[in-house]
Amino acid sequence: MSTVTKDILIAVLFVTGLIGFISGEFIISSTIFAVAAIASYINADQKKRGSNQFSWD
């Protein structure tokens, strides 16, 4: 997956979580926010390392 596609996916997850929070679906929106935060962190870490491989180091 390209970097642009990952960024768009994270943005869509964030907006979906925001809409869910506003509509009162707190458990679902919290889960979506968590997924977006984890995906964003992994994406930023991969950009920093300059690799496309996931690593636990």
Side-chain angles (χ1 to χ4, degrees), residues 2-30:
S2 70
T3 304
V4 175
T5 308
K6 290 178 185 177
D7 290 341
I8 291 171
L9 178 64
I10 292 168
V12 168
L13 285 171
F14 181 78
V15 170
T16 304
L18 187 62
I19 292 171
F21 184 77
I22 291 171
S23 68
E25 299 172 358
F26 300 115
I27 295 173
I28 294 171
S29 65
S30 297

Side-chain angles (χ1 to χ4, degrees), residues 10-54:
I10 292 168
V12 168
L13 285 171
F14 181 78
V15 170
T16 304
L18 187 62
I19 292 171
F21 184 77
I22 291 171
S23 68
E25 299 172 358
F26 300 115
I27 295 173
I28 294 171
S29 65
S30 297
T31 305
I32 293 173
F33 277 133
V35 169
I38 292 169
S40 178
Y41 177 76
I42 290 172
N43 191 20
D45 191 48
Q46 286 179 351
K47 284 182 186 177
K48 184 178 74 174
R49 292 176 187 245
S51 67
N52 289 329
Q53 296 179 344
F54 182 73

